[in-house]
Amino acid sequence: MVEVRGVAHFSIPVSDIATSTQFCTEVVGCTHLFTTPNEQMVFLDAAGTCLILVKRDAPINAVPDNHGGVHHAFAVAHDEYKAALDHLRAHGVEITFEEDRQGGVLNGPRAYFHDPDGTVLEFIDLTSYSGTA
């Protein structure tokens, strides 16, 4: 049996590297680490997990979706959750759905929104996760 020690990185396809890098750093709160010389990939830090933006041809999400379960979630501190949502709104980002889910695997208030290519992202005030003892 393989013992997974964590998520090393995840990738999101983007049509415009500069626009998506700015969105992920200024709106989502990631830190820029490195851009490849050909500017086809950008490496960002998301609180200790590497997020890689990968250049792809548009459209990335040809059919607008409110996620259908497919999205990327970013945990925010409990005392910063409301400010994180206000920050999205201040940057003109529409929150497409909010809920406070309890009694499941990943619990807590959450809000969904889209990146510039329509990929669904989430801010969650992660109050509990059944994967931790």
Side-chain angles (χ1 to χ4, degrees), residues 11 20-21 41 46 59 62 66 79 87 97-99 113 118 120 130-131:
S11 302
S20 293
T21 300
M41 297 173 68
N66 269 343
D79 59 346
H87 181 74
F97 182 71
E98 285 184 76
E99 68 176 342
F113 56 99
V120 180
S130 65

Side-chain angles (χ1 to χ4, degrees), residues 11-70:
S11 302
I12 296 177
V14 300
S15 62
D16 184 303
I17 287 286
T19 297
S20 293
T21 300
Q22 183 177 7
F23 182 84
C24 286
T25 56
E26 294 180 10
V27 178
V28 176
C30 297
T31 303
H32 179 266
L33 298 173
F34 178 75
T35 301
T36 59
N38 65 3
E39 298 183 352
Q40 298 297 298
M41 297 173 68
V42 171
F43 293 77
L44 304 171
D45 178 68
T49 299
C50 185
L51 164 59
I52 306 170
L53 303 179
V54 182
K55 173 75 171 92
R56 291 290 184 260
D57 293 333
I60 300 299
N61 293 287
V63 178
D65 188 11
N66 269 343
H67 79 76
V70 178

